[in-house]
């Protein structure tokens, strides 16, 4: 779909919309304290949950901050923690990619 090659998900998080703000802020605090994902100018390269969504301006699927959803399945535990892999993948919601979403929903219905 979008050039995403998912080979393994060992521990998937299920974060409700009500939990999103807390979860994103805890992640920002951890990243600030650790110095991970810091740009050369000192700004944080983390912006929160993101995914592939069709933008109203262009009608093209783009990686954007995730719109409000009932729940999110962010990829949060990544090894190795190095740029640029972690920058793109940290808290990416695979449920935003149609082909992955159908697999995820099928797994939920079979569990």
């Amino acid at each position: 779909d979008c050039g995403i090659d998912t080979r393994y998900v060992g521990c998937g998080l299920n974060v409700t919309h009500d939990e999103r703000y807390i979860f994103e802020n805890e992640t920002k605090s951890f990243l600030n304290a650790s110095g991970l994902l810091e740009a050369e100018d000192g700004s944080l390269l983390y912006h929160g949950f993101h995914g592939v969504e069709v933008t109203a301006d262009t009608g093209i699927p783009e990686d954007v901050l995730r719109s409000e959803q009932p729940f999110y399945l962010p990829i949060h535990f990544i090894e190795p923690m190095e740029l640029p892999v972690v920058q793109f993948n940290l808290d990416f919601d695979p449920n935003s990619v149609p082909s992955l979403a159908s697999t995820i929903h099928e797994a939920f219905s079979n569990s």
Side-chain angles (χ1 to χ4, degrees):
D1 274 325
C2 302
I4 298 171
D5 182 14
T6 303
R7 295 171 190 248
Y8 176 76
V9 175
C11 173
L13 299 174
N14 185 341
V15 179
T16 66
H17 182 70
D18 291 340
E19 299 166 325
R20 177 181 179 171
Y21 178 78
I22 295 167
F23 191 90
E24 289 175 329
N25 280 331
E26 286 175 353
T27 301
K28 287 176 187 174
S29 294
F30 168 77
L31 293 171
N32 277 328
S34 68
L36 293 170
L37 292 185
E38 192 173 280
E40 290 180 16
D41 66 0
S43 64
L44 194 59
L45 297 172
Y46 173 82
H47 303 289
F49 292 179
H50 61 107
V52 176
E53 296 188 17
V54 176
T55 60
D57 298 345
T58 64
I60 299 172
E62 296 181 26
D63 182 31
V64 296
L65 287 178
R66 199 72 168 101
S67 62
E68 185 174 324
Q69 304 292 318
F71 66 94
Y72 311 87
L73 304 170
I75 297 172
H76 193 70
F77 302 103
I78 301 170
E79 292 292 336
M81 283 285 280
E82 59 187 33
L83 295 174
V85 173
V86 72
Q87 180 182 349
F88 176 76
N89 291 305
L90 183 63
D91 289 344
F92 178 80
D93 185 358
N95 200 37
S96 68
V97 179
S99 63
L100 295 176
S102 63
T103 303
I104 291 165
H105 292 271
E106 184 178 329
F108 281 160
S109 66
N110 291 327
S111 61

